[in-house]
């Protein structure tokens, strides 16, 4: 009897249809292609509408885009935004500290202030402060229920500018108080305890330990609040202050080009908001250092490993 030797493999079966990972390609996703095509169609429709509709009167927009009165109104809006945010941030910081105080009368007073000025619309506040002379004809400085040292006519003090600064600043102070309070509370209590254990005073603990960490939480909503304040300056046009919106209103009341002049205002608001958003992103990146997570980059040592894996797969295919 002849016995034929048959080779027997003791190892596991090797797949002959192994896939080379180096040749992998992303899968086609039909829904994403459809969504992209739909977005392009919508964008094209909007551009076509803006270009072909003659009622936009783009030559009029180009004529008044850099008009001196419009640029002066833009500068007024930006300056009003800066002054309002500076006052609102300083006052908001004090209100936030008051709400976190363990002295309950101060805490209750700060909470009442924030609750009131967050609840009253800014337009109502502007109109109220502009008409303050109806309630208080004269503003005096002196001893309460006693003699007066100085006094002024309220109509002389409360101009459209001062009414706008007071109304918008108090409104922003209430919102900034909540933003700053939330940022301070986001810092772990252990950071306060560690600073105290290292001998830091309360002021140094707040300025060097707590606030740098709280800024990561404070900056994003503060940037949004600055942008909202810039747009909110358009409300001062109701008290005849010469902001950007009031400047274009004066022009279209004379020329009756309402839509083109509103487009001029929209363009400048968009330009200003875009610039503010750019700086907001830079500030966020600065205070977010050390907290942002990035995917590990490929190193030189990882490339041979990947090449070895591909070679092993090809070896299995040839067996």
């Amino acid at each position: 009897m002849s016995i034929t030797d048959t080779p027997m493999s003791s190892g596991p079966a090797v797949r002959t249809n192994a896939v080379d990972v180096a040749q992998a390609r992303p899968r086609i996703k039909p829904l994403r292609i459809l969504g992209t095509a739909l977005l392009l169609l919508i964008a094209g429709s909007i551009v076509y509408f803006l270009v072909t509709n003659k009622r936009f009167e783009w030559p009029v927009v180009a004529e008044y885009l850099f008009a001196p009165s419009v640029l002066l109104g833009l500068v007024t809006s930006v300056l009003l935004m800066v002054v309002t945010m500076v006052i609102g941030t300083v006052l908001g910081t004090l209100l936030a500290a008051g709400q976190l105080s363990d002295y309950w009368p101060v805490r209750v007073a700060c909470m009442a202030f924030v609750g009131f000025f967050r609840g009253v619309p800014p337009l109502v506040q502007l109109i109220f402060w502009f008409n303050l002379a109806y309630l208080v004809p004269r503003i005096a400085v002196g001893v309460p229920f006693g003699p007066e040292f100085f006094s002024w006519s309220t109509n002389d003090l409360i101009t459209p500018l001062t009414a706008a600064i007071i109304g918008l600043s108090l409104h922003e102070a209430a919102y900034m108080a909540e933003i700053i309070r939330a940022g301070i509370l986001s810092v772990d209590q252990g950071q306060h305890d560690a600073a105290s254990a290292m001998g830091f005073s309360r002021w140094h603990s707040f300025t060097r330990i707590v606030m740098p960490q709280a800024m990561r939480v404070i900056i994003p909503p503060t940037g949004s609040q600055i942008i909202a304040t810039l747009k909110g300056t358009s409300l001062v046009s109701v008290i005849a202050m010469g902001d950007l919106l009031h400047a274009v209103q004066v022009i279209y009341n004379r020329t009756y080009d309402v839509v083109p002049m509103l487009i001029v205002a929209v363009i400048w608001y968009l330009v200003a908001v875009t610039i503010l958003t750019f700086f907001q992103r830079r500030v966020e990146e600065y205070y977010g250092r050390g907290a942002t997570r990035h995917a590990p980059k490929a190193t030189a040592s990882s490339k041979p490993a990947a090449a070895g894996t591909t070679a092993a797969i090809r070896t299995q295919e040839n067996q």
Side-chain angles (χ1 to χ4, degrees), residues 123-137 154-155 158-160 163 238-239:
L123 180 59
V124 176
Q125 294 188 45
L126 290 173
I127 298 175
F128 176 84
W129 290 109
F130 187 65
N131 293 279
L132 184 63
Y134 176 78
L135 294 176
V136 185
T154 304
N155 281 326
I158 305 300
T159 62
V238 300
I239 57 176

Side-chain angles (χ1 to χ4, degrees), residues 141-171:
V141 176
V143 179
F145 308 104
E148 298 180 356
F149 300 144
F150 307 100
S151 64
W152 302 271
S153 172
T154 304
N155 281 326
D156 294 337
L157 292 180
I158 305 300
T159 62
L161 177 60
T162 54
I165 292 176
I166 294 173
L168 294 178
S169 297
L170 294 179
H171 178 76

Side-chain angles (χ1 to χ4, degrees), residues 20-82:
D20 188 354
V21 295
Q23 303 298 326
R25 295 292 183 269
R27 287 170 33 183
I28 297 177
K29 299 179 179 180
L31 291 180
R32 290 194 176 185
I33 296 176
L34 181 61
T36 303
L38 181 61
L39 291 176
L40 290 175
L41 180 62
I42 294 175
S45 301
I46 294 174
V47 172
Y48 179 79
F49 173 73
L50 294 175
V51 172
T52 59
N53 194 330
K54 297 182 179 180
R55 295 183 180 180
F56 283 110
E57 301 182 57
W58 294 109
V60 178
V61 174
E63 178 183 356
Y64 288 100
L65 187 61
F66 296 98
S69 59
V70 173
L71 296 180
L72 180 60
L74 174 63
V75 172
T76 301
S77 295
V78 173
L79 291 178
L80 181 59
M81 179 267 295
V82 172

Side-chain angles (χ1 to χ4, degrees), residues 72-311:
L72 180 60
L74 174 63
V75 172
T76 301
S77 295
V78 173
L79 291 178
L80 181 59
M81 179 267 295
V82 172
V83 173
T84 297
M85 284 306 303
V86 170
I87 298 176
T89 301
V90 173
L91 185 56
T93 303
L94 297 177
L95 290 170
Q99 290 185 94
L100 298 174
S101 173
D102 54 0
Y103 183 49
W104 73 265
V106 173
R107 185 171 65 253
V108 171
C110 292
M111 293 173 61
F113 180 99
V114 171
F116 178 81
F117 284 101
R118 285 179 69 193
V120 180
L123 180 59
V124 176
Q125 294 188 45
L126 290 173
I127 298 175
F128 176 84
W129 290 109
F130 187 65
N131 293 279
L132 184 63
Y134 176 78
L135 294 176
V136 185
R138 297 192 66 80
I139 298 177
V141 176
V143 179
F145 308 104
E148 298 180 356
F149 300 144
F150 307 100
S151 64
W152 302 271
S153 172
T154 304
N155 281 326
D156 294 337
L157 292 180
I158 305 300
T159 62
L161 177 60
T162 54
I165 292 176
I166 294 173
L168 294 178
S169 297
L170 294 179
H171 178 76
E172 294 306 319
Y175 278 90
M176 288 303 301
E178 290 300 285
I179 293 173
I180 296 172
R181 183 177 69 89
I184 295 174
L185 292 177
S186 68
V187 180
D188 188 81
Q189 182 61 34
Q191 300 290 325
H192 301 262
D193 299 337
S196 299
M198 294 178 64
F200 282 81
S201 65
R202 296 187 64 179
W203 172 252
H204 285 91
S205 173
F206 180 76
T207 56
R208 298 184 181 183
I209 305 298
V210 177
M211 280 306 294
Q213 299 180 69
M215 291 298 287
R216 298 171 182 169
V217 178
I218 293 174
I219 289 299
T222 299
S224 300
Q225 199 62 30
I226 292 174
I227 293 173
T229 302
L230 176 62
K231 296 184 294 184
T233 58
S234 60
L235 296 175
V236 302
S237 61
V238 300
I239 57 176
M241 183 177 173
D243 70 312
L244 177 58
L245 181 58
H246 185 265
V248 299
Q249 285 177 335
V250 171
I251 295 176
Y252 73 60
N253 285 334
R254 184 179 71 250
T255 62
Y256 300 102
D257 295 321
V258 179
V259 172
M261 296 312 303
L262 290 178
I263 293 176
V264 170
V266 167
I267 291 174
W268 282 120
Y269 279 123
L270 288 176
V271 170
V273 168
T274 302
I275 295 174
L276 290 175
T277 302
F278 172 80
F279 285 106
Q280 176 189 349
R281 295 287 187 267
R282 302 287 81 76
V283 176
E284 287 182 14
E285 292 176 0
Y286 176 80
Y287 283 102
R289 293 177 302 174
T292 306
R293 303 299 184 192
H294 298 284
K297 296 182 179 180
T299 59
S301 59
S302 64
K303 294 181 180 179
T309 303
T310 304

